[in-house]
Amino acid sequence: MLAIIAAVLFGLALIFELAGISLDIITGQVLVVAGLLCVALHLAGVGATTSGWRRSRR
């Protein structure tokens, strides 16, 4: 999920840079940093869909 969010943030950053759009605090550079943070969290395993404990049947 974090990888999808990162891709969206990178896409928005590209649009912001190409169009020259800059809101008060949200710029293309801020979106790139947020996207890199999401990629780093994704690679670290945060938000993984597998759960920690499983109940086994015997």
Side-chain angles (χ1 to χ4, degrees), residues 8 26-28 30-31 45:
V8 169
I26 301 173
T27 63
V30 170
L31 292 172

Side-chain angles (χ1 to χ4, degrees), residues 16-36:
F16 273 39
E17 290 294 324
L18 290 176
I21 299 172
S22 175
L23 302 176
D24 289 335
I25 197 167
I26 301 173
T27 63
Q29 191 172 13
V30 170
L31 292 172
V32 168
V33 170
L36 288 173

Side-chain angles (χ1 to χ4, degrees), residues 31-47:
L31 292 172
V32 168
V33 170
L36 288 173
L37 176 66
C38 288
V39 169
L41 290 173
H42 173 73
L43 291 175
V46 175

